[in-house]
Amino acid sequence: QVQLVESGGGLVHPGGSLNLSCAVSGFNLDDYSVGWFRQVPGEVREGLSCLSATDGRPFYVDSVKGRFTISRDQNTVYLQMNNMKPEDTAVYRCATDLTPWCGLVTIPGHKIRYWSQETQVTVST
């Protein structure tokens, strides 16, 4: 059974850092990619980052490039968020579509099968 369990959200000041974790089970991160997403109520979901299972290369959307870093160990994918801004405030989730590519993040409207629960990230003074 595919499961993704996210943790690490919370409140941080502008310029601060948070590290999100996405613990996976039921599939192998060596074979399938996991992506990170966020959504502000009333706005379109934004794909942030993905670690490709084909070659291990990371993808980042422009809005987080240079500030966020995706990494993994055997069963967990991490999103280290540095120099955070108020516009990073959103609900964050990780997901997989059980493919080795990053289309789940790079293709708008891509249908995604498996999601973690939501975690709120708030950047505020």
Side-chain angles (χ1 to χ4, degrees), residues 22-41:
C22 178
V24 309
S25 59
F27 67 99
N28 194 324
L29 288 175
D30 292 336
D31 300 323
Y32 302 118
S33 301
V34 167
W36 285 98
F37 300 81
R38 68 187 179 191
Q39 189 164 17
V40 175

Side-chain angles (χ1 to χ4, degrees), residues 76-107:
T76 303
V77 180
Y78 304 94
L79 187 68
Q80 176 67 40
M81 305 184 290
N82 296 328
N83 190 23
M84 296 189 72
K85 305 175 181 180
E87 51 263 43
D88 293 323
T89 296
V91 170
Y92 285 68
R93 304 173 79 181
C94 56
T96 184
D97 62 354
L98 295 183
T99 70
W101 308 285
C102 283
L104 77 167
V105 171
T106 61
I107 300 174

